Amino acid sequence: MSDNISRTARLRQLLRRGSEGSTAIEQAAGADPVPAAPEPVGEKAPPKRVCPRLPAWVFTLSGSDMQKMLDYSGVGNANRAVRREVPVADTIPPALTVTDYLAHRQRSVAIRLIMDCAEQHKPGSVLEFVRRCDADELRRVWAGTVGAEALIATATAGPIPVLALLAAELLDRAHRWQDLGELGRAAESVGYRANQLFREYVHADEIDARKAAWGQDAKVPHQQRI
């Protein structure tokens, strides 16, 4: 009889322990899981088909030089032996209204605000230039400069979003300047400094190799004619 009682007591203890263990497991399962720490995500640059890359020397230009490059339309004779007529940077397009005229002038002020800031704040890429096409960003860059607020207000006043249009214009030009020929002609339209920077960017050996290849291609039809 005592053996049965002891066995019953031990069985109850085992059942009690089992029920306590299962309860603890259920409580642990029902508890909210501890959120895992998010994995660090690095910033990804937009693809070139959306935001093209340009050589760094382009963004060392002054605001006046950058405006000349943007205003270059590629009009002229394709023959490099003939001197091309390049448009004047300050040429005003046909203005339909006074608002159009003022927007063109605001564009010039905006280009200078972006490119002629302190050296450590100059944009270094197409993406940084586009980011500067924002009034708040320009205020941050020009903070502490006397009269900066008035200049930014001058560039952004009116119904036409000049800064947004300037960002779109640079993106369009940058896609064209992916062609080294287009970039070289735009640099030539600016003047000596931009032209020299372009020549330093394109390695001299590469230019000579291209000239040699062109010379060989040019001799073939000439020999055939003889």
Side-chain angles (χ1 to χ4, degrees):
M1 189 72 178
S2 60
D3 292 340
N4 291 336
I5 294 174
S6 61
R7 289 176 182 175
T8 303
R10 286 198 298 271
L11 181 60
R12 288 177 179 175
Q13 290 178 358
L14 292 174
L15 290 175
R16 189 180 300 110
R17 291 175 183 175
S19 62
E20 290 176 355
S22 61
T23 303
I25 293 173
E26 290 176 358
Q27 291 177 352
D32 294 336
V34 179
E39 296 181 0
V41 178
E43 292 187 357
K44 297 181 180 179
K48 289 185 178 181
R49 62 180 177 271
V50 176
C51 185
R53 277 67 155 173
L54 289 178
W57 65 263
V58 174
F59 299 98
T60 64
L61 299 174
S62 65
S64 177
D65 290 343
M66 176 61 80
Q67 184 177 348
K68 291 176 184 177
M69 287 192 69
L70 289 173
D71 287 344
Y72 173 71
S73 61
V75 177
N77 196 319
N79 186 2
R80 298 187 66 86
V82 179
R83 184 175 180 81
R84 292 185 304 276
E85 294 182 1
V86 295
V88 179
D90 203 36
T91 300
I92 301 175
L96 300 178
T97 63
V98 174
T99 303
D100 297 333
Y101 172 84
L102 293 176
H104 181 75
R105 291 306 187 190
Q106 286 178 305
R107 170 180 173 272
S108 301
V109 176
I111 294 173
R112 285 167 171 78
L113 286 172
I114 294 172
M115 298 300 299
D116 292 342
C117 55
E119 191 66 30
Q120 65 270 22
H121 294 307
K122 287 179 73 69
S125 65
V126 174
L127 184 58
E128 289 184 19
F129 187 100
V130 171
R131 285 174 177 169
R132 297 289 170 83
C133 294
D134 177 78
D136 293 334
E137 184 66 16
L138 287 178
R139 291 189 185 96
R140 184 189 68 79
V141 171
W142 286 89
T145 305
V146 178
E149 187 66 32
L151 292 173
I152 296 169
T154 301
T156 57
I160 297 180
V162 175
L163 291 175
L165 293 175
L166 178 59
E169 181 182 5
L170 179 76
L171 283 171
D172 177 67
R173 293 292 188 201
H175 279 98
R176 298 184 188 183
W177 291 342
Q178 294 297 291
D179 180 353
L180 281 181
E182 286 290 329
L183 181 60
R185 286 187 285 272
E188 185 180 354
S189 71
V190 173
Y192 175 79
R193 181 172 182 270
N195 199 18
Q196 288 299 115
L197 290 172
F198 172 76
R199 289 180 179 276
E200 292 174 3
Y201 171 69
V202 180
H203 198 273
D205 293 342
E206 183 179 353
I207 295 177
D208 294 338
R210 290 182 181 181
K211 288 182 179 179
W214 293 340
Q216 292 174 3
D217 295 339
K219 290 178 182 178
V220 173
H222 178 71
Q223 292 174 355
Q224 290 177 352
R225 287 196 301 269
I226 295 176

